[in-house]
Amino acid sequence: MPSRFFILVPADFSLPRDACSYGYFLLAPNHWQPRDQSFSRVVNLQGGPAKVTVVQPDGPGKPLKATSDRTISKPERLQAIAMFTRMLRLDEPSETIADFHRVDRRWKKAGAGRLCRSPSFFEDVIKTVTSCNVAWPSTIRMNERLCNVVGLAGAFPTPQRLARTRANTLRARCSVGYRDQRIVDLAKLFATPVNRGGVDVAWFEDPSTLDDAIHEKLLGWPGIGPYAAANIMQLLGRYARLPLDSESVRHGKTLLGFKGSDAQIMKQVKAHFEPFGAHAFRSYWFEILKHYQSLKGSSHTWDRATTGKSFTAAKMK
DNA sequence: GGTAGACCTGGACGC
DNA sequence: GCGTCCAGGTCTACC
C-alpha cells in the first residue's frame, strides 16, 4: 500500500523549473514525466528500494506531495525526505539564491538558481565520471544500465554493490568502456570506512572545508581530472570553478564570440565568468541552459527517451 | 610544465 | 549492411 507525505520547500522553489535545471534530472534512476510534471526515482531506503514520486500541485513555494509505491516507515520517510532535499537543494537558503541574483540579475525574474543533483555525493561522483569523454546519449545509457544491471530494483547502485562488481561486468553490460576499473575503484573508496582511508563525505560537505583542499583531493581520485573535479565541486554547492569542456568551447565560440584555439577560448570563457565570483558556475550554466532551451523548448518539457537523447554536440551548434 | 597518443563507445557518413 | 572516422576527458609517457 502506498504511503503519502509532504515535503516542505523554500518560498521561491518551483519543481518544474528547479528539478529540470541540470542534466542529471534526465539520468536514471531519475525520471521526469513532462506530461504530469512529476519527478520520481527508486531510492535505497533502509527497508529496501522504493519508488517515490513528487509533484507540486499547488505551485511554487507550496509543499511537494510525495507518494511511494510501497508502505514506508516513518524513519524511511525521513530518509526519503532527506534524499529529495539534497537532490532539489531544498536546504539552500533563499538568501543564497537572492545573493546570486544580485551578482547576476539576468536570472532574477525567472527565479533560476537551484541546480538539481543526486541524493548522494557518491552518485554525483559516478554520474560525473559517466559524463566524461562521451556524448550525452551514452551518459544516459550508462546510468540506465548501472541502475538496471547493478542497482537493486532499478535504484542507483550503492558503493558497496558497485565495489563488489567486476570491472568486466561493467564494461560488457553497462557500456562504460575504459571507465570500468575507475568506477570500481571509486566505489571502493566510498565503501571503505573513513578510519581505514575511505572517503569522508562529511568533510566534503562541510561548508568550512576550503575549496582548494577539496579540489586537490578530487584530482587524486581515479578518473577525476580538471573537468570532473570542477563539476563535482558545483554539485557540492561550490560554484567558483567552471567545468570547462567541449561545450564551453562551443559556447565561447558561438554565443560569446571568442576566437582562437580551443585552449585560448577556454581561457577566455574562464576570464569572462570570473567577475561572477562565487556564483560563476551558475551564471555560466544558466547561459548554456538558456541556449539549450532556445533549441529544445523549456527543460520541463524534455524527457529522457526523446529530447534527452537528442543532445549531441553536433546538434547543439 | 607542456604535449602526444591511447583509452572505448556509438553516431555519422560513405560506399 | 559494413567499414571508417570522429567526438569526448583522463591518464601516462616523454621531452
Side-chain angles (χ1 to χ4, degrees), chain A residues 112-263:
Chain A
R114 293 173 207 279
L115 290 165
C116 176
R117 58 176 172 175
S118 303
S120 72
F121 179 40
F122 172 67
E123 186 175 327
D124 276 338
V125 170
I126 300 299
K127 277 186 158 51
T128 298
V129 170
T130 65
S131 72
C132 289
N133 198 27
V134 74
W136 183 246
S138 292
T139 301
I140 290 180
R141 192 174 304 112
M142 283 185 226
N143 279 275
E144 278 172 350
R145 293 183 184 172
L146 283 171
C147 294
N148 293 332
V149 174
V150 188
L152 211 54
F156 196 81
T158 61
Q160 290 74 18
R161 283 184 79 86
L162 212 37
R164 287 196 305 267
T165 307
R166 292 200 327 222
N168 282 346
T169 304
L170 293 184
R171 182 178 293 226
R173 300 186 59 198
C174 303
S175 304
V176 301
Y178 66 87
R179 301 162 196 78
D180 56 357
Q181 191 59 54
R182 296 172 189 176
I183 289 174
V184 172
D185 289 344
L186 283 166
K188 283 179 179 168
L189 280 177
F190 278 80
T192 302
V194 177
N195 60 8
R196 283 167 50 195
V199 174
D200 185 352
V201 174
W203 181 82
F204 282 93
E205 298 199 320
D206 182 347
S208 71
T209 306
L210 296 176
D211 276 13
D212 286 348
I214 290 182
H215 192 244
E216 189 184 335
K217 189 77 107 178
L218 291 173
L219 288 175
W221 288 357
I224 309 296
Y227 163 81
N231 194 58
I232 292 168
M233 291 193 70
Q234 69 85 4
L235 292 163
L236 284 167
R238 296 167 183 270
Y239 302 110
R241 285 178 167 78
L242 299 187
L244 295 167
D245 61 1
S246 54
E247 265 303 278
S248 317
V249 174
R250 180 204 57 72
H251 189 70
K253 271 186 195 168
T254 60
L255 273 93
L256 301 175
F258 297 149
K259 299 198 186 324
S261 67
D262 286 3

Side-chain angles (χ1 to χ4, degrees), chain A residues 3 5 45-47 50 68 70-80:
Chain A
S3 293
F5 53 98
L45 301 178
Q46 60 187 46
S68 60
R70 65 166 173 82
T71 304
I72 60 175
S73 63
K74 186 176 177 187
E76 286 182 318
R77 195 168 73 225
L78 295 175
Q79 235 187 323

Side-chain angles (χ1 to χ4, degrees), chain A residues 25-26 31-34 299 301-309:
Chain A
F25 82 97
L26 293 168
H31 187 229
W32 173 257
Q33 177 55 260
S299 54
T301 66
W302 304 348
D303 69 25
R304 191 196 306 161
T306 54
T307 326
K309 289 187 177 170

